[in-house]
Amino acid sequence: MEEMMRITTWGTRGSMPVSSPARVKHGGNTTCVQIQSGCIPGNMVLVIDSGTGIFPCSAQYIAIKPRLAILQTHWHKDHLDGLTMAPHAHADHARVSVYGPEENGFGPTEAMKWLFQKPIFPREFAQIEHRFTCTTLGNPGNRVIVVHPKAGINLITMAEYLTAGTNKQLHLGDQWHDAAECMIITMYKTAHPDFAISYRVVENPTGKVFVFVTDHEKQAEHSKDLLDHVRDADVLIQDAQYTEEVYATRTAGFGHGTAHYCVEVAIRAKAKKLYLTHHDPMATDEDIDHMVEDAWWFARNIIEPLSLLKIEAASDYMKIEV
Ligand SMILES: [Zn+2]
Ligand SMILES: [Zn+2]
């Protein structure tokens, strides 16, 4: 088994990619987060979302890991913008698996047809479709994604998972595998204008937990389902696009969070490390650094004086040990 789970945040900007001298430290790529673990087949790159951060990620791995698996949180453009130019989308030897939600008849296949379409892109999806596998995730509460080093990625029902028995032998592909060797990914529907999913990733061999909650609006009440979904995360990366002031005056209903809300969720769910993400395109490096300082202040002075929660801003190309 490889080293413990690691996360690389290839893109951490929200809404649209930005490039500017005042946005160098935290970066301007849109959402793409890579998960590395011994539970993932050696020839596979596993990412959440295909924002512009997927371009450097795919370029780094195309020669050594020809399989790209993408778990899409949703289909907003900032979470898809990098896929058209990702080398895995065009290399003859590469295979791409896209998993994501479906709403009103628009799911992974429709998203790919929309994205690779003349005249907004010179190649139609039909020309590359034979190397793609598109899988609709269905009701997030009733599905479990199981990743195994030999059996790859499998989507099973929650009922199948729960009835697998105490020794948890899971039927993946055409063979039985021990759940203790797997990475188990469960899902939560976030509060967002269109159907969006948060992923909780549990690396069974180590017990490490990573939760990615983006495009989730600040809520007045903390739902038990969300707290259970985030519970005991070793690493939580959560959407903190807006300051409290911007949220209160202009952006309520847009489907994004604030640093204060992330701190409340992280502390109540007993997460250990919180990384703020989906940075506002308007926010400079200085603004993001202030937001982190303010989040520390809020955690220690308002929520829990002795809080051990670590808080940082997620930045492009950051590597995080879970
Ligand atoms: Zn977004
Ligand atoms: Zn969105």
Side-chain angles (χ1 to χ4, degrees):
M1 175 117 343
E2 207 181 288
E3 72 289 340
M4 286 208 286
M5 178 155 52
R6 278 186 296 144
I7 305 302
T8 304
T9 51
W10 294 93
T12 57
R13 190 64 59 167
S15 305
M16 62 175 261
V18 286
S19 171
S20 108
R23 292 161 182 83
V24 169
K25 179 181 167 188
H26 297 296
N29 289 337
T30 58
T31 306
C32 177
V33 167
Q34 183 192 2
I35 302 164
Q36 283 169 282
S37 159
C39 296
I40 300 168
N43 64 352
M44 180 187 283
V45 185
L46 175 62
V47 298
I48 301 177
D49 283 343
S50 49
T52 60
I54 203 171
F55 173 66
C57 173
S58 171
Q60 176 165 322
Y61 288 108
I62 184 64
I64 46 172
K65 292 179 188 276
R67 291 176 64 195
L68 172 65
I70 307 165
L71 307 178
Q72 284 287 148
T73 58
H74 62 313
W75 306 112
H76 283 166
K77 207 166 154 292
D78 54 317
H79 298 256
L80 272 180
D81 268 339
L83 190 55
T84 46
M85 290 307 293
H88 282 81
H90 303 288
D92 287 338
H93 73 288
R95 295 289 177 274
V96 182
S97 311
V98 184
Y99 297 79
E102 180 182 317
E103 188 177 36
N104 301 324
F106 192 97
T109 304
E110 291 71 27
M112 293 304 109
K113 283 182 178 164
W114 176 85
L115 193 63
F116 295 93
Q117 171 180 202
K118 285 172 172 293
I120 57 169
F121 191 72
R123 264 186 131 178
E124 296 276 356
F125 187 53
Q127 296 172 257
I128 55 175
E129 194 171 8
H130 59 285
R131 294 185 296 96
F132 277 63
T133 311
C134 295
T135 308
T136 297
L137 290 170
N139 182 344
N142 289 338
R143 294 287 185 282
V144 179
I145 299 166
V146 181
V147 186
H148 183 275
K150 292 203 182 75
I153 301 192
N154 301 267
L155 184 65
I156 64 172
T157 65
M158 183 62 84
E160 272 177 86
Y161 180 67
L162 294 174
T163 56
T166 46
N167 58 347
K168 282 264 191 284
Q169 289 293 311
L170 298 171
H171 199 246
L172 309 173
D174 51 6
Q175 270 191 315
W176 292 93
H177 292 281
D178 197 333
E181 297 168 354
C182 297
M183 174 179 271
I184 304 293
I185 304 176
T186 50
M187 295 168 264
Y188 174 83
K189 186 176 187 292
T190 66
H192 202 56
D194 297 296
F195 198 147
I197 290 175
S198 162
Y199 295 98
R200 174 187 175 91
V201 181
V202 179
E203 188 183 46
N204 273 351
T206 61
K208 291 286 181 177
V209 179
F210 162 57
V211 184
F212 186 66
V213 184
T214 195
D215 297 65
H216 174 60
E217 178 143 355
K218 171 187 163 123
Q219 305 288 296
E221 301 284 317
H222 295 274
S223 91
K224 185 180 175 300
D225 286 351
L226 175 64
L227 295 182
D228 284 346
H229 178 74
V230 175
R231 184 93 52 215
D232 297 324
D234 294 284
V235 169
L236 167 64
I237 303 183
Q238 188 169 340
D239 181 328
Q241 179 157 355
Y242 304 125
T243 63
E244 290 299 324
E245 190 199 351
V246 167
Y247 181 84
T249 53
R250 291 196 283 116
T251 62
F254 287 14
H256 298 288
T258 65
H260 287 194
Y261 174 65
C262 294
V263 166
E264 290 173 21
V265 170
I267 290 180
R268 283 177 202 211
K270 298 191 168 24
K272 295 186 184 73
K273 278 181 269 177
L274 169 64
Y275 292 84
L276 307 173
T277 194
H278 209 276
H279 306 303
D280 195 297
M282 296 297 285
T284 62
D285 288 333
E286 205 180 332
D287 293 333
I288 294 170
D289 289 340
H290 281 160
M291 176 184 71
V292 173
E293 279 168 36
D294 175 59
W296 276 99
W297 176 88
F298 181 73
R300 300 289 149 82
N301 290 284
I302 306 295
I303 303 295
E304 194 175 272
L306 297 173
S307 174
L308 294 173
L309 179 68
K310 295 190 175 67
I311 306 170
E312 268 186 72
S315 306
D316 293 2
Y317 305 97
M318 185 182 252
K319 290 184 190 303
I320 300 169
E321 301 276 336
V322 178

PDB file of all heavy atoms in Angstrom, residues 74 76 78-79 192 215 256, ligand 2:
ATOM      1  N   HIS A  74     -20.931  19.343  -9.546  1.00  0.00           N
ATOM      2  CA  HIS A  74     -22.077  19.800 -10.323  1.00  0.00           C
ATOM      3  C   HIS A  74     -21.560  20.321 -11.657  1.00  0.00           C
ATOM      4  O   HIS A  74     -20.379  20.190 -11.955  1.00  0.00           O
ATOM      5  CB  HIS A  74     -22.893  20.839  -9.552  1.00  0.00           C
ATOM      6  CG  HIS A  74     -22.184  22.115  -9.197  1.00  0.00           C
ATOM      7  ND1 HIS A  74     -20.925  22.142  -8.633  1.00  0.00           N
ATOM      8  CD2 HIS A  74     -22.555  23.418  -9.320  1.00  0.00           C
ATOM      9  CE1 HIS A  74     -20.574  23.402  -8.418  1.00  0.00           C
ATOM     10  NE2 HIS A  74     -21.537  24.192  -8.835  1.00  0.00           N
ATOM     11  N   HIS A  76     -21.859  23.548 -13.026  1.00  0.00           N
ATOM     12  CA  HIS A  76     -21.558  24.965 -13.255  1.00  0.00           C
ATOM     13  C   HIS A  76     -20.204  25.064 -13.960  1.00  0.00           C
ATOM     14  O   HIS A  76     -19.292  24.286 -13.707  1.00  0.00           O
ATOM     15  CB  HIS A  76     -21.561  25.741 -11.931  1.00  0.00           C
ATOM     16  CG  HIS A  76     -22.960  26.021 -11.438  1.00  0.00           C
ATOM     17  ND1 HIS A  76     -23.223  26.448 -10.164  1.00  0.00           N
ATOM     18  CD2 HIS A  76     -24.161  25.924 -12.065  1.00  0.00           C
ATOM     19  CE1 HIS A  76     -24.536  26.618 -10.030  1.00  0.00           C
ATOM     20  NE2 HIS A  76     -25.124  26.299 -11.161  1.00  0.00           N
ATOM     21  N   ASP A  78     -17.585  26.912 -13.995  1.00  0.00           N
ATOM     22  CA  ASP A  78     -16.263  27.041 -13.357  1.00  0.00           C
ATOM     23  C   ASP A  78     -15.719  25.687 -12.891  1.00  0.00           C
ATOM     24  O   ASP A  78     -14.523  25.546 -12.672  1.00  0.00           O
ATOM     25  CB  ASP A  78     -16.296  28.045 -12.194  1.00  0.00           C
ATOM     26  CG  ASP A  78     -17.357  27.775 -11.152  1.00  0.00           C
ATOM     27  OD1 ASP A  78     -18.504  27.441 -11.536  1.00  0.00           O
ATOM     28  OD2 ASP A  78     -17.059  27.886  -9.946  1.00  0.00           O
ATOM     29  N   HIS A  79     -16.585  24.683 -12.792  1.00  0.00           N
ATOM     30  CA  HIS A  79     -16.154  23.356 -12.347  1.00  0.00           C
ATOM     31  C   HIS A  79     -15.878  22.421 -13.525  1.00  0.00           C
ATOM     32  O   HIS A  79     -15.575  21.247 -13.339  1.00  0.00           O
ATOM     33  CB  HIS A  79     -17.205  22.758 -11.391  1.00  0.00           C
ATOM     34  CG  HIS A  79     -17.353  23.589 -10.156  1.00  0.00           C
ATOM     35  ND1 HIS A  79     -16.823  23.228  -8.931  1.00  0.00           N
ATOM     36  CD2 HIS A  79     -17.927  24.811  -9.974  1.00  0.00           C
ATOM     37  CE1 HIS A  79     -17.089  24.179  -8.049  1.00  0.00           C
ATOM     38  NE2 HIS A  79     -17.749  25.155  -8.658  1.00  0.00           N
ATOM     39  N   HIS A 192     -27.445  24.768  -3.041  1.00  0.00           N
ATOM     40  CA  HIS A 192     -26.882  25.468  -4.198  1.00  0.00           C
ATOM     41  C   HIS A 192     -27.987  25.621  -5.235  1.00  0.00           C
ATOM     42  O   HIS A 192     -28.913  24.815  -5.259  1.00  0.00           O
ATOM     43  CB  HIS A 192     -25.708  24.644  -4.744  1.00  0.00           C
ATOM     44  CG  HIS A 192     -24.739  25.451  -5.547  1.00  0.00           C
ATOM     45  ND1 HIS A 192     -24.112  26.568  -5.051  1.00  0.00           N
ATOM     46  CD2 HIS A 192     -24.276  25.300  -6.812  1.00  0.00           C
ATOM     47  CE1 HIS A 192     -23.318  27.061  -5.990  1.00  0.00           C
ATOM     48  NE2 HIS A 192     -23.401  26.311  -7.064  1.00  0.00           N
ATOM     49  N   ASP A 215     -19.474  24.971  -3.128  1.00  0.00           N
ATOM     50  CA  ASP A 215     -20.757  25.419  -3.663  1.00  0.00           C
ATOM     51  C   ASP A 215     -21.885  25.019  -2.729  1.00  0.00           C
ATOM     52  O   ASP A 215     -22.844  24.341  -3.132  1.00  0.00           O
ATOM     53  CB  ASP A 215     -20.932  24.932  -5.109  1.00  0.00           C
ATOM     54  CG  ASP A 215     -19.852  25.562  -5.992  1.00  0.00           C
ATOM     55  OD1 ASP A 215     -18.666  25.252  -5.768  1.00  0.00           O
ATOM     56  OD2 ASP A 215     -20.178  26.391  -6.853  1.00  0.00           O
ATOM     57  N   HIS A 256     -23.197  30.159  -1.950  1.00  0.00           N
ATOM     58  CA  HIS A 256     -21.831  30.029  -1.425  1.00  0.00           C
ATOM     59  C   HIS A 256     -21.762  30.359   0.061  1.00  0.00           C
ATOM     60  O   HIS A 256     -22.678  30.938   0.625  1.00  0.00           O
ATOM     61  CB  HIS A 256     -20.870  30.906  -2.229  1.00  0.00           C
ATOM     62  CG  HIS A 256     -20.823  30.483  -3.655  1.00  0.00           C
ATOM     63  ND1 HIS A 256     -20.202  29.320  -4.045  1.00  0.00           N
ATOM     64  CD2 HIS A 256     -21.376  31.019  -4.763  1.00  0.00           C
ATOM     65  CE1 HIS A 256     -20.375  29.168  -5.351  1.00  0.00           C
ATOM     66  NE2 HIS A 256     -21.076  30.177  -5.802  1.00  0.00           N
TER      67      HIS A 256
HETATM   68 ZN    ZN B   2     -21.856  26.299  -8.507  1.00  0.00          ZN
END
